[in-house]
Amino acid sequence: MAYQSVPAPTSAEIRGWCDRSQIPGDRPELSATAALLIASGFLTPTGRAVVVRRVSSGLPLPTLPSGFGELRRLQRAIVQAENQTANPMMPGVVSAVMRNRVNGLHRKREEARKTVVGAKGVFAGSTRAIRREQRENIYLEIDERERLFGGLLYTPTPNVATNRSMRQAGGAAVGKIVGLVGQVASRSGNTQAEQWADELLGSPQAEAATPGTASFLDGYETVLFLAGHFYDRIVNNPAWRSDHFELQRTQVNLHAELAEISSDVIALRAVRIDLDRAKRRGGFDKEFAQQIDKREEALRPVWSELIDRVQALGGVAHVVESAAIELQILDEYNRAATIDDRIDALISRSGDREVSVDNSKRLTEQVRSGEENLRIYRDVLQGNISRLSPVTSIQLPERYEPDR
């Protein structure tokens, strides 16, 4: 999907989207690189630095033919199927089919895990090559790859929360389940079986996402998707890779920025989960509840700062896309200048130089205007970049351990 000068959302708009866990518009799934950088937020700082270093150096990282969005849907299908299988009211015949289905999904996930963790042809295999990559700090250890795969299971994917996950995970077994549920219903005369079918497979009403929107499980996933979305729009734009923004590219490492945003969002979410759990368990104590409330209040500036950093990424994407349009115009001017040169060569033979002079002046003025616009874009981009990667790193509050 091509984006042309899409206005950058404000921080208030992003906050609203996160509150609703919905982003307006049809959004493409994240690229493999964006998904890997977001998943690196689950790694240790050392492992995350290796992933960023490999991306920055153009070195390969594990990929899946079906994409990491499909891996997320597979994980979602497993969770849904396991929850349904655990239902003690489910008829035995349906439960047996569901268990077989869950086993099949687990096998597919294990194949994906082996692809990511084994990463044949991606990381060094021999002892000597491994030591070399370790010296160069580009070798991702096995335990870090396991964490990376765990993070990829939660790749921010639009509309994955709908009940379509079971349907998309495979059709043959789904058909068998429908038939078996129908048999149970006909024998028992109980409409409960049809309700189980809706829960297992998703009714037509439940499986349709809101048209023109991308929905997510929570605000944390929403802001992570936005960060990856803006990242993709920037790095995939030829203007960003052009000589015009060479200086800006040296001033910010977008790969590291996305990985650090992900790390901070994941850490923030973990703290909030701990606080919510602690409040549920000990909220009956007024003093204890007040202490939890103070902790939650301390987290609000952290969330605001993360939103602002993601908004700055959106600003960079908007400027780069606007500059790309300007570069296209300049490219057309340059082509026209080449044609004019050839025309001038022909006209000069007859002694008529007036047309060539007029054309040269016109093109010169247009090119100067285009270059001035690019200078403006560079200045605006400089302001957006200055809002990324704050000088002082975000210090999250200490984790509260409710079991202490």
Side-chain angles (χ1 to χ4, degrees):
M1 182 176 181
Y3 290 87
Q4 291 194 354
S5 193
V6 178
T10 64
S11 293
E13 287 175 321
I14 292 176
R15 186 183 295 273
W17 296 345
C18 292
D19 290 342
R20 296 187 297 274
S21 301
Q22 280 192 340
I23 304 173
D26 295 322
R27 307 282 169 158
E29 292 188 7
L30 300 180
S31 67
T33 302
L36 286 162
L37 288 169
I38 289 175
S40 74
F42 288 90
L43 308 186
T44 64
T46 300
R48 186 162 57 253
V50 169
V51 172
V52 170
R53 196 173 294 113
R54 291 187 71 90
V55 173
S56 302
S57 303
L59 297 173
L61 281 165
T63 59
L64 292 177
S66 58
F68 295 122
E70 284 301 311
L71 179 62
R72 173 65 187 279
R73 278 185 277 273
L74 174 63
Q75 173 66 14
R76 181 72 176 173
I78 289 174
V79 173
Q80 289 178 338
E82 288 179 338
N83 288 340
Q84 295 298 339
T85 304
N87 184 351
M89 301 300 294
M90 180 179 292
V93 65
V94 179
S95 180
V97 174
M98 284 299 298
R99 283 195 297 271
N100 288 335
R101 181 60 182 150
V102 170
N103 291 336
L105 294 176
H106 275 288
R107 285 193 294 271
K108 290 179 67 175
R109 187 177 64 183
E110 179 60 17
E111 290 173 2
R113 189 195 69 81
K114 289 179 180 178
T115 300
V116 172
V117 177
K120 294 182 179 179
V122 176
F123 298 104
S126 67
T127 302
R128 183 175 181 181
I130 290 174
R131 288 175 178 171
R132 185 186 69 250
E133 287 198 354
Q134 288 174 334
R135 287 195 302 271
E136 297 172 356
N137 291 323
I138 57 173
Y139 184 75
L140 193 63
E141 301 292 342
I142 298 294
D143 59 338
E144 294 284 20
R145 293 183 221 170
E146 293 282 3
R147 293 190 187 97
L148 185 66
F149 179 75
L152 289 169
L153 293 176
Y154 300 95
T155 297
T157 304
N159 304 320
V160 77
T162 64
N163 287 334
R164 281 183 292 183
S165 301
M166 268 300 290
R167 290 185 186 272
Q168 293 182 353
V174 165
K176 292 180 181 178
I177 295 174
V178 172
L180 288 171
V181 170
Q183 293 173 21
V184 173
S186 63
R187 292 173 185 171
S188 65
N190 191 346
T191 58
Q192 181 69 45
E194 294 299 334
Q195 296 176 11
W196 288 327
D198 288 341
E199 292 178 6
L200 289 169
L201 309 173
S203 65
Q205 292 79 12
E207 84 174 22
T210 305
T213 61
S215 300
F216 301 89
L217 292 182
D218 57 27
Y220 301 103
E221 184 175 276
T222 305
V223 79
L224 280 178
F225 176 84
L226 278 172
H229 173 71
F230 293 144
Y231 166 89
D232 280 340
R233 284 168 54 182
I234 298 168
V235 299
N236 293 330
N237 195 308
W240 175 251
R241 301 190 298 270
S242 70
D243 294 339
H244 294 279
F245 296 118
E246 183 177 5
L247 176 62
Q248 283 72 25
R249 288 198 305 274
T250 64
Q251 293 176 332
V252 61
N253 186 330
L254 290 176
H255 320 306
E257 180 64 20
L258 179 57
E260 291 305 319
I261 287 176
S262 174
S263 175
D264 288 341
V265 170
I266 291 167
L268 178 60
R269 186 175 186 274
V271 173
R272 290 303 301 265
I273 289 175
D274 281 352
L275 288 175
D276 290 343
R277 184 184 298 115
K279 197 167 186 177
R280 286 195 304 270
R281 293 179 178 179
F284 58 87
D285 185 300
K286 185 176 180 181
E287 184 177 346
F288 180 77
Q290 289 176 346
Q291 181 184 0
I292 297 297
D293 290 339
K294 289 181 181 179
R295 288 290 194 176
E296 290 179 337
E297 188 174 351
L299 291 174
R300 293 175 187 173
V302 178
W303 177 242
S304 296
E305 188 170 342
L306 283 168
I307 288 177
D308 288 342
R309 289 168 68 186
V310 172
Q311 195 279 330
L313 271 181
V316 172
H318 172 61
V319 172
V320 169
E321 287 163 355
S322 299
I325 296 174
E326 202 69 41
L327 285 173
Q328 289 177 356
I329 296 173
L330 286 175
D331 189 49
E332 291 299 324
Y333 289 159
N334 290 333
R335 286 198 184 96
T338 301
I339 296 174
D340 279 348
D341 289 341
R342 291 160 59 189
I343 294 174
D344 291 345
L346 293 173
I347 294 176
S348 64
R349 296 174 189 172
S350 62
D352 186 355
R353 302 177 184 276
E354 182 178 352
V355 175
S356 67
V357 171
D358 289 343
N359 284 339
S360 297
K361 287 182 179 179
R362 173 176 55 83
L363 285 170
T364 299
E365 290 173 359
Q366 290 170 334
V367 170
R368 284 176 178 172
S369 174
E371 290 176 342
E372 178 61 29
N373 286 338
L374 283 174
R375 278 193 289 271
I376 294 173
Y377 289 136
R378 281 195 290 266
D379 290 342
V380 175
L381 189 60
Q382 190 68 37
N384 284 315
I385 289 176
S386 67
R387 294 167 54 205
L388 295 172
S389 300
V391 177
T392 56
S393 60
I394 295 177
Q395 296 296 322
L396 292 173
E398 294 181 4
R399 291 173 63 91
Y400 184 85
E401 299 296 341
D403 292 329
R404 284 186 180 177

